[in-house]
Amino acid sequence: MSAQSGTAWKERILDPTEREVPLLLDLYREFHASPEVSGAEEETAARLAGALEAAGCTVTRGIGGHGLVGVLENGEGPVVMLRADMDALPITEETGLSYASRRPGVMHACGHDLHMTSLVGAARLLAACRECWRGTVLFVGQPAEEVVAGAKRMIADGLFERFPRPDCAVAVHAGPDIGAGRVGTRSGILSAGGESIDLVVRGIGGHAAHPDRTRDPIVLAAETVLALQTIRSREIDPNDFFVLSIGAIHGGTKHNAIPDEVALKLNLRYHRPAVRDQGLAAIRRIAEGTAMAAGMPPGRMPVVTVIDESVPPLVTDAALTGKCGAGIEECLGAGAVVEIPPLAGSEDFAVFGDAGIPLAYFRIGTKDEGSGDAYLHSSHFAPAAGPAIRTGTVALAASVIACARRP
Ligand code: ZN
Ligand code: ZN
């Protein structure tokens, strides 16, 4: 019977979006001009919380740092979580835009300002068309995404106990390689998991003129670095995604002294947990085996530590991705949702999936004639903001309606 069945809900989303975009652009420019780095999102969170309250949400602040949750209740029905990350990067902006960062050395170069603005846009639309959907929407502002800590901290601070546990969660992210007005996604593995590893190669230091009286950790570290290259090339199935890079190597203080140890910092990227485990086991085996071959005594074996910066692969739910994608295409037109290949980068939205919540994730096209070629994390990143906000707002609102449409 409802006037909102069929395609009517589509107009209830699209018509107001056209009116909202200029207002949302003002909000976007405020976010963009006042960026704050991971963990320091105080003003940003306050601005986002205020905008969600103005849209009709009940907002709780200070969850896992500067995290916040805006709740919009609309009777019995599914609980849908929409998440936007809030942090910026320690980069000096070089776009020359009139609304460029007013804070030297800090920039929204990953589009998190677009994500927050789209979250507010979706809240305003959904509050204005309550007759189209039912249930509860959680609008989550997440801090510290760039250091893959914020999602974990919000969960540890009771995100899923203090608020209704979500049946699913949806996020958008700026996609500089996707044309404005389009959305990219895929089911299954969408971005890589990552591990950071400290490797301390230990030796027995001494005088550079008498290496025979030492066990030189510099030569051993060099051998270890080369031997580690054989993990990808000789041990991992060529069909599996695996990257191992060594980002830092530090040892010694002086020309004429052999140090006691050399510290290396490794970064591993993977899609399948079994491949991560295989890689970590190989790192330990090669580090120890190379040390033994160098005659290192048992008490001076290398120390391998996987540090607390793990991020799981982002695995999206096929049914949810299909349902939300269909809703988005209904609004944006056939062909607006395109399949993208898995990304080598990581995204801590994945942590919510690890906690058992089905996920959908959409890359929002930010490329048009005026946006240039700069990619995410570039000091020149200048997305097509108006079209991206329109697409992001519609994608989030349409996803909620696709999951919680009023019968
Ligand atoms: Zn980023
Ligand atoms: Zn990002």
Side-chain angles (χ1 to χ4, degrees):
M1 57 138 281
S2 152
Q4 284 69 48
S5 56
T7 56
W9 71 270
K10 172 178 148 182
E11 276 73 54
R12 302 280 284 122
I13 294 291
L14 287 179
D15 295 348
T17 299
E18 302 315 319
R19 290 195 298 277
E20 293 282 347
V21 166
L23 295 169
L24 291 169
L25 261 173
D26 288 343
L27 178 65
Y28 165 76
R29 288 175 179 146
E30 281 182 49
F31 282 133
H32 189 83
S34 314
E36 293 168 299
V37 295
S38 309
E41 308 90 343
E42 190 175 353
E43 279 176 39
T44 306
R47 188 173 277 119
L48 177 60
L52 289 172
E53 272 170 348
C57 298
T58 307
V59 177
T60 305
R61 296 160 165 84
I63 304 160
H66 293 297
L68 60 101
V69 177
V71 181
L72 195 61
E73 286 182 323
N74 195 17
E76 284 289 302
V79 179
V80 182
M81 171 175 140
L82 302 180
R83 173 278 212 170
D85 36 17
M86 303 190 290
D87 50 334
L89 288 154
I91 291 173
T92 297
E93 179 159 354
E94 295 181 282
T95 60
L97 292 167
S98 60
Y99 52 91
S101 171
R102 291 192 299 260
R103 296 190 167 134
V106 189
M107 176 187 177
H108 268 298
C110 201
H112 299 188
D113 43 3
L114 288 172
H115 314 162
M116 289 184 281
T117 309
S118 299
L119 191 75
V120 172
R124 294 171 67 98
L125 290 185
L126 291 166
C129 73
R130 287 172 180 268
E131 65 281 12
C132 304
W133 61 282
R134 64 202 170 88
T136 301
V137 184
L138 305 179
F139 298 88
V140 172
Q142 187 215 294
E145 191 283 326
E146 295 288 356
V147 293
V148 295
K152 264 180 255 176
R153 284 182 200 153
M154 288 192 80
I155 293 171
D157 202 8
L159 176 64
F160 296 142
E161 289 87 43
R162 291 161 66 185
F163 305 91
R165 187 176 167 86
D167 296 301
C168 61
V170 182
V172 295
H173 199 290
D177 36 17
I178 299 171
R182 299 185 117 184
V183 168
T185 191
R186 68 179 290 109
S187 323
I189 289 167
L190 200 151
S191 70
E195 297 287 358
S196 291
I197 301 133
D198 285 339
L199 167 56
V200 179
V201 172
R202 299 192 295 172
I204 298 168
H207 202 291
H210 268 294
D212 54 304
R213 295 177 192 169
T214 74
R215 286 280 181 268
D216 187 347
I218 297 227
V219 172
L220 175 54
E223 285 175 346
T224 306
V225 166
L226 292 179
L228 290 173
Q229 307 308 312
T230 62
I231 299 176
R232 164 73 275 180
S233 68
R234 305 291 87 187
E235 293 195 38
I236 303 287
D237 183 329
N239 291 309
D240 268 312
F241 175 81
F242 181 87
V243 180
L244 178 62
S245 292
I246 295 155
I249 176 164
H250 293 287
T253 52
K254 200 163 178 352
H255 301 76
N256 62 358
I258 290 168
D260 283 318
E261 59 183 45
V262 175
L264 295 92
K265 293 182 187 297
L266 282 54
N267 188 257
L268 184 162
R269 302 285 169 134
Y270 67 96
H271 285 164
R272 293 199 305 119
V275 174
R276 171 200 56 198
D277 295 346
Q278 188 189 355
L280 290 174
I283 290 168
R284 291 198 167 90
R285 192 195 72 239
I286 287 171
E288 282 202 9
T290 314
M292 275 189 230
M296 214 55 75
R300 297 299 289 162
M301 284 293 115
V303 180
V304 178
T305 312
V306 179
I307 66 169
D308 187 23
E309 282 182 14
S310 299
V311 57
L314 173 55
V315 184
T316 63
D317 182 84
L320 179 67
T321 301
K323 190 159 56 172
C324 296
I328 294 169
E329 279 213 327
E330 239 182 281
C331 286
L332 296 180
V337 179
V338 295
E339 187 175 340
I340 53 172
L343 306 162
S346 298
E347 157 67 81
D348 90 341
F349 186 54
V351 171
F352 299 115
D354 251 24
I357 313 290
L359 304 181
Y361 187 81
F362 297 98
R363 300 273 283 191
I364 299 302
T366 65
K367 185 166 82 178
D368 71 3
E369 316 81 60
S371 61
D373 292 329
Y375 196 69
L376 303 171
H377 293 204
S378 159
S379 60
H380 296 280
F381 177 57
I389 290 165
R390 179 182 185 274
T391 310
T393 297
V394 169
L396 290 173
S399 292
V400 170
I401 294 179
C403 295
R405 198 173 305 190
R406 196 173 275 280

